[in-house]
Amino acid sequence: MNHITPKPLKKGNTIAFIAPAGSIKDADAIERAKQYFENNGYNVICSKHLFDQNKYMSDTDKNRLEDLHWAFSNKDINAIICARGGYGCLRLIDKIDYDLIRNNPKIFCGYSDITILSAMFLKNAGLITYSGPMARGDFGLEEIKPYTITNFFNTVAEGKQIKIKAEKIYKSGCAKGITFGGNLASVVSLCGIDFIPDEDFIFFAEDLNEPVYKIDKMFTQLLNIEKFRKNIKGLILGDFLDSGYPEQLDELLEEIAQKYDIPTLGGYKITHDKEKITVPYGELCEIKNDTLII
């Protein structure tokens, strides 16, 4: 499937905030995010069910799906930024109209549970999305992190090349492929369906509040899949926040790099933390010894 790169974000464009996963309890943060974009020359529309709630999710599956389809089908909307992660995207993937996504390509940005949508949009619609900041936890901060903002606009508006040296080298080498991965637990939740790219990929990963043994289990589960082992050509590691026992985590990542003989670089600001880079999801990239180039 040919991959589709959405048009870059421009001043005057309209951005939709949607919540396909967890519920939004702090409306003030969404208002701050809205004001940030409007003050910088963009228009913002909030989806109909953005502030609704169904248990731990933002409204029912039907209504969250309705908001997702609305954001892609509305010709006046140029970009979609998810409000937050949490949980809920997995419940939508068998109901999404992927032809609608393919025929209405536009910027789509988020991380954490939103990883599930990025993976499925790439697989079933060929759409390149963005693993990056969200409305509530990033643009909605009382003090937005300049690093996050600069990297976001450099990627989605300017289309600038990402070229960052690793802080940690587990295994040096060279590799090429498309970017694929994101939040590790979210990717693993897709096991059992057809979600792995058919081409070579560089897998990037991060997570939050997962102990080392669970990180081990999740990487092992993915690497037990023949297609995953065949197509992975490199590994880019972000933060595994609050995992405990950092020495054990380093040992695990070193073991993976050596066992599967793939270039493995770490220390990237792919993270649940406030300072983060924005990674195009499905874009061709390259590892050159100690550097990631997208």
Side-chain angles (χ1 to χ4, degrees):
M1 181 182 294
N2 293 328
H3 294 171
I4 306 167
T5 302
K7 293 180 180 179
L9 188 66
K10 296 180 180 180
K11 292 288 181 73
N13 278 175
T14 296
I15 299 168
F17 290 168
I18 67 170
S23 60
I24 307 299
K25 297 178 182 178
D26 43 355
D28 288 348
I30 298 298
E31 181 59 30
R32 284 193 295 269
K34 185 173 183 289
Q35 287 299 314
Y36 170 80
F37 280 108
E38 291 178 344
N39 290 342
N40 284 277
Y42 302 92
N43 305 306
V44 176
I45 304 176
C46 292
S47 63
K48 179 180 178 181
H49 304 288
L50 185 69
F51 296 108
D52 293 342
Q53 185 172 354
N54 177 37
K55 298 189 286 292
Y56 30 78
M57 294 171 290
S58 177
D59 215 332
T60 62
D61 295 350
K62 177 179 178 295
N63 287 343
R64 285 180 291 115
L65 182 68
E66 178 185 310
D67 283 0
L68 178 68
H69 284 163
W70 161 80
F72 273 100
S73 63
N74 189 321
K75 302 298 183 182
D76 294 328
I77 293 172
N78 308 99
I80 303 164
I81 296 178
C82 295
R84 62 159 296 188
Y87 172 71
C89 293
L90 193 65
R91 297 170 61 110
L92 302 181
I93 59 174
D94 61 337
K95 306 173 183 69
I96 293 170
D97 183 345
Y98 292 104
D99 288 334
L100 173 68
I101 309 298
R102 184 184 304 111
N103 294 329
N104 295 275
K106 56 189 69 177
I107 292 165
F108 180 86
C109 188
Y111 65 99
S112 193
D113 197 60
I114 308 304
T115 293
I116 290 169
L117 297 181
S118 287
M120 297 307 288
F121 289 171
L122 180 65
K123 181 68 179 182
N124 295 312
L127 180 64
I128 293 174
T129 60
Y130 297 92
S131 176
M134 295 193 282
R136 188 199 69 167
D138 297 291
F139 297 111
L141 292 173
E142 292 185 4
E143 294 185 14
I144 305 174
K145 297 297 183 181
Y147 182 92
T148 299
I149 294 299
T150 297
N151 279 273
F152 174 79
F153 284 105
N154 281 349
T155 302
V156 304
E158 302 295 331
K160 291 184 178 179
Q161 184 184 66
I162 297 171
K163 189 174 183 180
I164 310 175
K165 286 190 175 183
E167 293 184 4
K168 173 83 174 182
I169 301 173
Y170 294 93
K171 181 173 175 50
S172 184
C174 297
K176 292 182 179 180
I178 64 167
T179 51
F180 168 66
N183 178 253
L184 184 60
S186 296
V187 174
V188 168
S189 73
L190 292 169
C191 287
I193 64 172
D194 186 11
F195 73 100
I196 299 170
D198 296 318
E199 61 260 70
D200 293 347
F201 59 81
I202 307 295
F203 191 75
F204 69 99
E206 62 82 33
D207 222 314
L208 173 70
N209 293 329
E210 296 288 0
V212 176
Y213 80 90
K214 285 191 177 181
I215 296 170
D216 184 343
K217 181 168 69 173
M218 290 187 285
F219 272 118
T220 300
Q221 185 171 359
L222 291 173
L223 287 161
N224 276 340
I225 303 171
E226 182 180 359
K227 184 175 182 179
F228 191 95
R229 290 197 310 274
K230 177 185 175 184
N231 291 358
I232 185 172
K233 302 303 175 187
L235 184 57
I236 296 295
L237 300 161
D239 288 334
F240 289 87
L241 299 173
D242 302 324
S243 64
Y245 303 102
E247 298 86 0
Q248 290 185 10
L249 180 59
D250 265 354
E251 289 174 7
L252 169 64
L253 299 173
E254 179 78 29
E255 176 188 325
I256 292 170
Q258 299 302 324
K259 179 177 180 180
Y260 296 97
D261 192 26
I262 52 175
T264 302
L265 308 181
Y268 288 94
K269 290 185 182 295
I270 305 166
T271 180
H272 272 68
D273 210 350
K274 303 306 179 187
E275 289 191 344
K276 56 176 62 70
I277 62 173
T278 297
V279 179
Y281 197 111
E283 186 65 82
L284 286 172
C285 73
E286 185 174 4
I287 294 174
K288 278 192 175 181
N289 297 319
D290 65 347
T291 303
L292 169 66
I293 305 169
I294 305 175

